[in-house]
Amino acid sequence: MSEATVSRVLNGVGPVKEDTRKRVMEAAQQLNYVPSALAQRFALRKSGNLGVILPFLPKVNLFSTYYFSEVLSGIGITAKQRGYDLLLLFREPDEPKDYVNLFRTQKVDGCIILGAQDVPSERAVLDELQQGQYPFCLINQRFDGKTFNTVDADHRMGSFEAVKHLANQGCKRILFLNGPSVYSNSLDRLEGYRQGLAEMKLPYDSSMVLVGNYSRKSGYNLSEAIAWLIKEGRIDAVIAANDRMAIGLLQGLRELGLQVGKDVALMGCDDSDGARLTDPPLSSIQVPFYEVGCMAASNLLDVIAESEHRSFEIKLPVKVVVRASSAAENFSEA
Amino acid sequence: MSEATVSRVLNGVGPVKEDTRKRVMEAAQQLNYVPSALAQRFALRKSGNLGVILPFLPKVNLFSTYYFSEVLSGIGITAKQRGYDLLLLFREPDEPKDYVNLFRTQKVDGCIILGAQDVPSERAVLDELQQGQYPFCLINQRFDGKTFNTVDADHRMGSFEAVKHLANQGCKRILFLNGPSVYSNSLDRLEGYRQGLAEMKLPYDSSMVLVGNYSRKSGYNLSEAIAWLIKEGRIDAVIAANDRMAIGLLQGLRELGLQVGKDVALMGCDDSDGARLTDPPLSSIQVPFYEVGCMAASNLLDVIAESEHRSFEIKLPVKVVVRASSAAENFSEA
DNA sequence: TTGAAAGCGCTAACAC
DNA sequence: GTGTTAGCGCTTTCAA
């Protein structure tokens, strides 16, 4: 029996007589034979790997581990179903981001980039990828003026709905604690916030937007300033652009003698694990991170399989999750 | 110039005249040439991949994402430094755990297994790996009677010190809320707890050990029973075998009108992100998960490189972190 | 110090 | 339907 026949049987391609098929299968069983993925992939000139690029996470995680685990699981499960392996790539602070070499060395057939920032160096590298026709997909980050493949959540709608929710609870002056604008998230959320204020006919001025860096500490550090605004009656609600900042703020406000959910309404974004742990529990915007991961992997693998140059920009819906930190019955204004 | 020479230059092996070395390097630069890792690995019959096997995580994470991110980062950074790529392998509930095929198909040169359980099927598969001389390493899990490569934290010492700490705060009757015994962690922690009680001459009887499943919910569900014990004066402190259960318990006790840190002292284990988010903040046992990951990767890669059959069992120290949930000045007993 | 050539374990034309 | 053969892009003997 020839090598080629065995290959045909094991890959289920080409015409094979049922009888020989059986004999091959039996022999393989007997000899305990499994084909070498290494050799297969070499012969096919395809790595069979989907690369996932993680941003550098300093000791104090600016990104929540929750976010990454969810997205990663989504990608991992989807890739697996489609016969791909997941290559996890950790970025380090100093090193140049030569995503292109990942492809040129044939380590990956496609890659998904997490935590990208809208800065010139990143734009340059992504342009290079696109010019090389290397399949890649960004998660949770858009680049204005570019048509990179993206899977994102509808963050604009999220803060829009958050404002509406707070307004319906009786809040009149809502502060927005945003994150850095290198993340398109931040811009989207800000836009939704302003649209929400307009929709609900609530006042806005630029002093009602503060900026942190998405860390818990940055929320905590702003708590004095925010406590003052609350005590002065200048604001009666806060939306933070992620849960971590909201939690930091909540802890800071408590230390300053203010009760979140009573003296002020508070909402986070992401609906991470932590939102359920605080006292009071934190209202938040639920983002389907797992599905984001699935969509990214699935669409990217489609592109790879079809080797067409279709591109995609997917936006998944989010949902307001109301908990005690913003429930009307709790706070004085209502 | 021959193929062989180029190979020698790029890999820095064999004798090469400095002049030709330069010419090769320049040419490579000019042609923008990078060798195909795929072909290299095929020729060398080494995948260049370190596999990391993740346990199946159902929707409600029994394992904390914190734990995995830390361990994974440690593994990832170490592997990268040593020229290895990380292959992330998600287990799924039904599928057979055929770790051996990972090696036979040459997808990995070694693998690190997270979240292994001491159950017959897992033992069988690990035995198979060992008999096949395939290099692997367990994280945070020992198997009695086996000499598998392991990197673990000194969980026994952790709960031993936790008991001592609580005793020093004036606690006299300490309940232990353990996790399932398929994890060697749980057994180690139980042992440390009992040794600690003995050391501090505190009473023990089997009714002082309860068992949850490491989820927040399981801690929450036991809060009624535990509240009763507290109100009866039967216990004045609780050590939970992980933070998640401790946090669930804390939330449950609060709902039942008990103040943790005042009516009862509480400690968790793992010192996860969540320990800082609760009110009061949770005392816990800090485990160097990042270092655990580094050690596992580094030792396993040594074994692979030396292709000797050395085996290792490493135990890293832990540290009690005291926060308000167990601080003497807060609670009535002191 | 360099080049020629064999071979790693598969797949895919192509011929039978 | 099945076998023959030529690669895939490297590394590594061996000879020069």
Side-chain angles (χ1 to χ4, degrees):
Chain A
M1 194 157 313
S2 87
E3 214 181 330
T5 309
V6 175
S7 171
R8 277 191 278 260
V9 169
L10 264 42
N11 294 304
V13 299
V16 188
K17 213 194 270 175
E18 178 56 22
D19 175 54
T20 45
R21 204 190 67 79
K22 271 210 182 111
R23 281 172 48 221
V24 170
M25 291 307 256
E26 265 172 36
Q29 192 86 57
Q30 291 255 309
L31 302 172
N32 212 350
Y33 167 85
V34 281
S36 158
L38 205 49
Q40 283 180 313
R41 290 163 173 191
F42 171 61
L44 294 173
R45 287 175 292 288
K46 297 199 24 181
S47 72
N49 290 332
L50 189 58
V52 176
I53 299 178
L54 300 178
F56 175 71
L57 301 172
K59 269 268 160 291
V60 47
N61 298 350
L62 295 186
F63 298 89
S64 81
T65 60
Y66 171 76
Y67 166 83
F68 286 112
S69 340
E70 289 291 307
V71 173
L72 215 52
S73 307
I75 298 174
I77 301 295
T78 306
K80 182 172 184 171
Q81 282 169 358
R82 314 247 319 225
Y84 272 79
D85 287 321
L86 214 67
L87 209 60
L88 205 55
L89 301 152
F90 291 81
R91 270 183 36 183
E92 289 188 272
D94 48 340
E95 94 196 324
K97 25 195 174 214
D98 59 347
Y99 303 158
V100 173
N101 272 345
L102 241 40
F103 288 92
R104 310 232 337 266
T105 58
Q106 307 193 58
K107 285 194 176 185
V108 303
D109 299 335
C111 81
I112 296 179
I113 301 171
L114 298 186
Q117 303 185 8
D118 192 344
V119 294
S121 64
E122 189 103 34
R123 274 187 179 248
V125 178
L126 297 177
D127 274 334
E128 210 188 334
L129 274 185
Q130 196 168 42
Q131 265 145 42
Q133 312 254 57
Y134 298 118
F136 72 99
C137 172
L138 298 168
I139 284 197
N140 244 284
Q141 177 75 356
R142 293 171 302 94
F143 286 78
D144 275 335
K146 301 285 178 187
T147 58
F148 299 144
N149 295 328
T150 306
V151 178
D152 202 353
D154 195 344
H155 301 294
R156 190 199 58 75
M157 184 59 80
S159 29
F160 182 84
E161 295 293 336
V163 169
K164 277 176 63 179
H165 158 67
L166 289 171
N168 289 334
Q169 305 293 301
C171 299
K172 302 245 175 292
R173 302 190 58 86
I174 305 172
L175 183 134
F176 187 63
L177 172 49
N178 205 359
S181 57
V182 289
Y183 301 109
S184 59
N185 277 348
S186 309
L187 304 175
D188 293 347
R189 286 179 170 140
L190 179 62
E191 189 188 342
Y193 160 73
R194 296 192 54 176
Q195 292 177 344
L197 292 183
E199 169 92 4
M200 304 309 283
K201 314 244 186 296
L202 292 178
Y204 165 79
D205 71 272
S206 61
S207 74
M208 298 177 69
V209 176
L210 263 39
V211 176
N213 71 356
Y214 282 135
S215 71
R216 185 162 62 95
K217 197 161 191 329
S218 71
Y220 183 86
N221 289 342
L222 285 165
S223 54
E224 267 194 63
I226 292 173
W228 183 81
L229 291 170
I230 297 168
K231 288 177 183 161
E232 291 285 308
R234 303 269 288 269
I235 61 169
D236 54 15
V238 177
I239 301 174
N242 78 347
D243 284 351
R244 299 174 78 82
M245 291 196 294
I247 290 170
L249 178 58
L250 187 149
Q251 293 183 315
L253 292 179
R254 181 181 21 245
E255 290 175 13
L256 296 167
L258 285 170
Q259 275 191 275
V260 164
K262 197 156 166 46
D263 302 319
V264 64
L266 176 62
M267 296 189 67
C269 291
D270 291 352
D271 195 29
S272 58
D273 281 346
R276 258 145 291 197
L277 305 186
T278 53
D279 176 35
L282 183 66
S283 298
S284 195
I285 313 290
Q286 192 179 91
V287 179
F289 288 123
Y290 179 84
E291 284 73 19
V292 166
C294 294
M295 291 300 276
S298 145
N299 281 279
L300 186 59
L301 291 175
D302 285 346
V303 169
I304 293 171
E306 301 161 14
S307 71
E308 61 177 47
H309 300 133
R310 174 170 67 85
S311 77
F312 54 90
E313 259 184 82
I314 296 171
K315 195 159 274 187
L316 268 50
V318 301
K319 202 172 88 186
V320 170
V321 177
V322 178
R323 299 201 180 84
S325 75
S326 75
E329 57 268 27
N330 295 321
F331 50 87
S332 16
E333 279 80 10
Chain B
M1 192 156 313
S2 87
E3 216 181 327
T5 310
V6 175
S7 171
R8 279 190 277 258
V9 170
L10 264 42
N11 294 304
V13 299
V16 188
K17 213 193 272 174
E18 177 57 21
D19 175 53
T20 44
R21 205 190 67 78
K22 271 209 181 115
R23 280 172 47 222
V24 170
M25 292 307 255
E26 265 172 38
Q29 192 85 57
Q30 291 254 309
L31 301 172
N32 212 351
Y33 169 85
V34 280
S36 158
L38 205 50
Q40 283 180 313
R41 291 164 173 191
F42 171 61
L44 295 172
R45 286 174 294 286
K46 296 198 26 180
S47 71
N49 290 331
L50 188 58
V52 177
I53 299 178
L54 300 178
F56 176 70
L57 300 171
K59 270 270 161 285
V60 48
N61 299 350
L62 296 187
F63 298 89
S64 82
T65 60
Y66 172 77
Y67 165 84
F68 286 111
S69 337
E70 289 291 309
V71 173
L72 214 51
S73 307
I75 298 175
I77 301 296
T78 306
K80 182 172 184 172
Q81 281 168 359
R82 314 244 324 223
Y84 271 80
D85 287 320
L86 214 67
L87 208 60
L88 203 56
L89 301 152
F90 291 80
R91 270 182 38 182
E92 291 189 88
D94 49 341
E95 95 196 323
K97 24 195 174 216
D98 59 347
Y99 303 157
V100 173
N101 272 344
L102 241 40
F103 287 91
R104 310 232 337 266
T105 58
Q106 309 194 59
K107 285 194 176 186
V108 303
D109 299 335
C111 80
I112 296 179
I113 301 171
L114 297 186
Q117 304 185 9
D118 192 345
V119 293
S121 63
E122 190 102 34
R123 274 187 179 247
V125 178
L126 296 177
D127 275 334
E128 211 187 335
L129 274 185
Q130 196 169 42
Q131 265 146 42
Q133 312 252 60
Y134 298 119
F136 72 100
C137 171
L138 298 168
I139 284 196
N140 243 287
Q141 176 75 356
R142 293 172 303 94
F143 286 78
D144 275 334
K146 301 288 178 184
T147 57
F148 300 143
N149 295 329
T150 305
V151 178
D152 202 353
D154 195 344
H155 301 293
R156 190 199 58 76
M157 185 57 81
S159 30
F160 182 85
E161 294 293 337
V163 169
K164 276 175 64 178
H165 159 67
L166 289 171
N168 290 334
Q169 305 294 301
C171 299
K172 303 245 174 294
R173 301 190 58 87
I174 305 172
L175 183 134
F176 187 63
L177 172 49
N178 205 358
S181 57
V182 288
Y183 301 110
S184 60
N185 278 347
S186 309
L187 304 174
D188 293 347
R189 287 180 169 139
L190 180 61
E191 190 188 341
Y193 160 74
R194 296 192 55 174
Q195 291 177 344
L197 291 183
E199 169 92 4
M200 305 307 286
K201 313 243 185 299
L202 291 178
Y204 165 79
D205 71 273
S206 61
S207 74
M208 296 176 71
V209 176
L210 262 38
V211 176
N213 70 357
Y214 282 135
S215 71
R216 184 161 63 95
K217 196 162 190 337
S218 71
Y220 183 85
N221 289 342
L222 285 165
S223 54
E224 266 194 63
I226 292 174
W228 183 82
L229 291 170
I230 297 168
K231 289 177 184 160
E232 290 286 308
R234 304 268 288 270
I235 62 171
D236 54 16
V238 177
I239 301 174
N242 78 347
D243 285 351
R244 299 174 76 82
M245 290 195 295
I247 291 170
L249 177 58
L250 187 150
Q251 293 183 317
L253 291 179
R254 184 187 12 249
E255 290 175 14
L256 296 167
L258 286 170
Q259 274 190 277
V260 164
K262 198 156 164 49
D263 301 320
V264 64
L266 176 62
M267 297 188 67
C269 291
D270 290 352
D271 195 29
S272 59
D273 281 346
R276 258 145 291 196
L277 305 185
T278 51
D279 176 37
L282 183 67
S283 297
S284 194
I285 313 290
Q286 192 178 90
V287 179
F289 287 123
Y290 179 84
E291 285 74 18
V292 166
C294 293
M295 291 300 275
S298 147
N299 281 280
L300 186 59
L301 290 176
D302 284 346
V303 169
I304 293 173
E306 302 160 14
S307 71
E308 61 177 45
H309 299 133
R310 174 170 67 87
S311 77
F312 55 90
E313 259 185 80
I314 295 171
K315 197 158 273 190
L316 269 51
V318 301
K319 201 173 91 187
V320 170
V321 177
V322 178
R323 299 202 181 84
S325 75
S326 75
E329 58 267 28
N330 295 321
F331 48 88
S332 17
E333 279 81 9

